[in-house]
Amino acid sequence: MHIILNHSSMVPIYEQLMEQIKSEIIQSVLKEGEALPSVRTLAGELRISALTVKKAYDKLEEEGFVTTVHGKGTYVTASDKQLASQARRFAVEEDFDKAIDRAVAIGMNKEEILEIVKLILDEK
C-alpha cells in the first residue's frame, strides 16, 4: 500500500487515508481477501495516531470495503463490481461538484459551464 498524507490539507487525515485505501480497492490494487496492515503497524509507518487509522478502517467497514475480524485483522471484502462502480461515479460527481462550485463562485452561468464541458468532451 502506498499512502501519502497531506498534514496541511483541510481534509482530515482519516478521510485522506480512507480515500486512498478505497481507491486502491476500487482499482484492484488491493485484492479481495487481502489483509490490510494492522492499525498499529500502519499508524507507525505513517507516524499518525492508531485512533486515526482505526477510525478510517471503521468507516471503510461501514461502507462495505473491508471486514474486520477481531484478533485476526482487517481484510478487503469481496469486490462488488456495482459497489466499486458506484464509488467511482460518486468520486467523479464530487469532482464535478467542486468544479461547478468554483465556476459559479467566479460568476459563470449554467450555459457557460456546459459550454466548457462540451468543449473538453469534444477534445477527447
Side-chain angles (χ1 to χ4, degrees):
M1 236 178 12
H2 185 68
I3 305 291
I4 298 172
L5 300 175
N6 180 351
H7 293 278
S8 61
S9 171
M10 296 299 290
V11 178
I13 297 295
Y14 83 92
E15 284 184 18
Q16 293 179 46
L17 181 57
M18 259 183 67
E19 290 308 314
Q20 290 182 50
I21 293 171
K22 194 186 305 183
S23 176
E24 289 195 4
I25 293 170
I26 291 168
Q27 296 170 7
S28 297
V29 174
L30 292 172
K31 309 274 189 239
E32 175 185 340
E34 189 171 339
L36 297 181
S38 73
V39 169
R40 285 187 185 147
T41 299
L42 189 56
E45 288 174 7
L46 298 175
R47 294 190 174 122
I48 59 176
S49 166
L51 293 174
T52 301
V53 175
K54 175 83 169 95
K55 185 172 184 177
Y57 280 11
D58 287 348
K59 295 282 186 185
L60 286 167
E61 188 165 19
E62 285 175 22
E63 293 182 18
F65 286 94
V66 300
T67 301
T68 301
V69 180
H70 294 286
K72 298 276 187 192
T74 302
Y75 301 88
V76 176
T77 55
S79 58
D80 180 342
K81 299 297 181 198
Q82 185 175 3
L83 177 66
S85 176
Q86 287 174 342
R88 284 192 299 270
R89 181 185 170 107
F90 182 70
V92 170
E93 287 175 7
E94 282 183 325
D95 290 344
F96 270 118
D97 193 42
K98 289 175 189 171
I100 291 168
D101 286 346
R102 194 172 341 150
V104 169
I106 64 166
M108 294 178 73
N109 62 37
K110 181 179 177 179
E111 289 74 26
E112 292 170 318
I113 296 168
L114 286 172
E115 184 179 325
I116 290 172
V117 171
K118 287 177 186 174
L119 284 171
I120 291 169
L121 285 173
D122 287 344
E123 292 175 3
K124 300 288 176 191

